[in-house]
């Protein structure tokens, strides 16, 4: 594939890292994924062929090391790959600050949200006894999050523990809360419901640290609620 034809390191780096999915693969590796299927869980829309190609490119570049693990190939960031962490963080902060947040209109998948929730459980805040939270998000297959003070696991079915809580509602409400767009109370007002034992339901938001960049505030008019198209058109015609 033809390059940019430039000496500039911005251009040279973009040739290596600018392909679709590449930085998301780096993100998954930074988050601790090591095996092919684990990486793909966090990026469910990438094909197996594309993931294989992108991983190979990163290995050839020297950003990722491939090794033979006990259960198959494993991937880890090299020193060069770890130095991409500030770049990934800067992209996340820029997006949180400058990109409009309207999850009800975004093309979203449930799995990456729940995987991030699994990664960011506050183990010390969990009840003493293991439990499973069932997620019945509108239009999605049920998912089950096992919460123990020693481990967490996202599953396609209950692994055999009590299921005292059920999270129900639209995906955009869950995303808006998790991403830091709104508080949990507002998420409840737009349809997110935690059903089950009252004490556990009230404690549920405290079991998670939320999205790593949820603290980043939107800039300027990103705080303003979106106007409907008809309102905007009417506004441009008034004087």
């Amino acid at each position: 594939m033809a390059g940019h034809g430039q000496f500039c390191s911005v251009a040279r780096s973009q040739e290596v890292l600018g392909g679709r999915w590449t930085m998301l693969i780096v993100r998954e590796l930074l988050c601790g994924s090591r095996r092919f299927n684990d990486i793909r869980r966090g990026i469910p829309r990438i094909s197996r062929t594309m993931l294989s190609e992108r991983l190979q490119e990163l290995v050839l570049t020297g950003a990722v090391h491939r090794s033979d693990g006990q259960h198959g190939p494993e991937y880890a960031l090299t020193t060069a790959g770890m130095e991409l962490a500030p770049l990934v963080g800067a992209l996340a902060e820029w997006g949180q600050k400058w990109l409009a947040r309207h999850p009800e209109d975004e093309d979203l998948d449930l799995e990456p949200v729940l995987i991030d929730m699994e990664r960011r459980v506050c183990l010390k805040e969990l009840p003493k006894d293991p439990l499973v939270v069932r997620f019945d998000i509108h239009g999605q297959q049920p998912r089950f999050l096992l919460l123990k003070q020693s481990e967490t696991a996202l599953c396609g079915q209950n692994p055999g523990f009590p299921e005292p809580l059920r999270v129900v509602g639209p995906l955009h409400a869950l995303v808006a809360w998790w991403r830091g767009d709104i508080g949990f109370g507002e998420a409840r007002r737009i349809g997110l419901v935690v059903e089950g034992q009252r004490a556990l339901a009230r404690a549920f938001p405290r079991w998670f640290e939320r999205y790593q960049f949820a603290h980043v505030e939107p800039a300027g008019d990103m705080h303003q609620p979106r106007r409907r198209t008809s309102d905007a058109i009417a506004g441009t015609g008034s004087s």
Side-chain angles (χ1 to χ4, degrees):
M1 181 177 65
H4 295 304
Q6 297 192 13
F7 79 94
C8 172
S9 293
V10 173
R12 297 176 64 221
S13 298
Q14 199 276 339
E15 289 175 1
V16 174
L17 301 173
R20 190 181 186 194
W21 308 115
T22 299
M23 293 306 291
L24 295 185
I25 294 169
V26 174
R27 180 200 68 189
E28 289 303 301
L29 292 168
L30 285 168
C31 288
S33 295
R34 292 290 177 267
R35 300 181 62 192
F36 187 94
N37 287 336
D38 291 335
I39 297 170
R40 191 162 182 247
R41 284 183 71 205
I43 319 172
R45 298 194 188 189
I46 191 172
S47 69
R48 298 183 66 85
T49 299
M50 180 60 71
L51 177 54
S52 180
E53 290 177 359
R54 291 290 188 254
L55 283 169
Q56 185 176 7
E57 291 170 359
L58 288 168
V59 169
L60 291 174
T61 301
V64 170
H65 174 71
R66 181 186 185 278
S67 60
D68 294 324
Q70 183 177 359
H71 301 289
E74 294 184 357
Y75 300 88
L77 293 168
T78 63
T79 300
M82 289 299 298
E83 289 192 3
L84 293 172
L87 177 57
V88 174
L91 285 171
E93 291 203 16
W94 185 89
Q96 281 285 92
K97 183 176 181 180
W98 293 107
L99 298 181
R101 306 188 204 173
H102 302 303
E104 66 275 16
D105 294 331
E106 296 171 19
D107 186 15
L108 300 167
D109 292 323
L110 173 62
E111 195 77 0
V113 183
L114 296 183
I115 288 174
D116 202 43
M117 293 181 71
E118 176 195 2
R119 289 170 174 162
R120 298 187 61 77
V121 173
C122 300
L123 296 176
K124 64 181 180 180
E125 296 288 342
L126 295 178
K128 177 181 178 181
D129 297 325
L131 60 88
V132 166
V133 178
R134 177 183 176 120
F135 288 83
D136 282 324
I137 302 302
H138 298 170
Q140 309 288 328
Q141 293 294 320
R143 303 291 282 153
F144 302 84
L145 183 59
L146 170 63
L147 299 174
K148 300 171 61 176
Q149 291 186 341
S150 59
E151 65 174 312
T152 63
L154 181 63
C155 312
Q157 57 184 352
N158 190 325
F161 290 88
E163 192 177 299
L165 291 183
R166 177 173 175 255
V167 179
V168 186
L171 178 55
H172 69 82
L174 179 64
V175 168
W177 166 66
W178 185 251
R179 193 166 58 187
D181 304 352
I182 59 177
F184 196 75
E186 188 173 350
R188 292 177 61 185
R189 286 192 290 273
I190 63 174
L192 192 66
V193 179
V194 181
E195 300 176 346
Q197 298 178 21
R198 177 173 296 184
L200 294 179
R202 294 180 63 180
F204 173 79
R206 299 196 301 272
W207 296 346
F208 304 91
E209 296 181 20
R210 276 212 292 182
Y211 175 49
Q212 184 178 354
F213 299 94
H215 66 281
V216 178
E217 294 289 336
D221 58 3
M222 295 298 177
H223 279 286
Q224 300 301 318
R226 183 190 52 181
R227 292 192 299 169
R228 294 175 300 177
T229 302
S230 58
D231 294 339
I233 293 173
T236 59
S238 60
S239 59

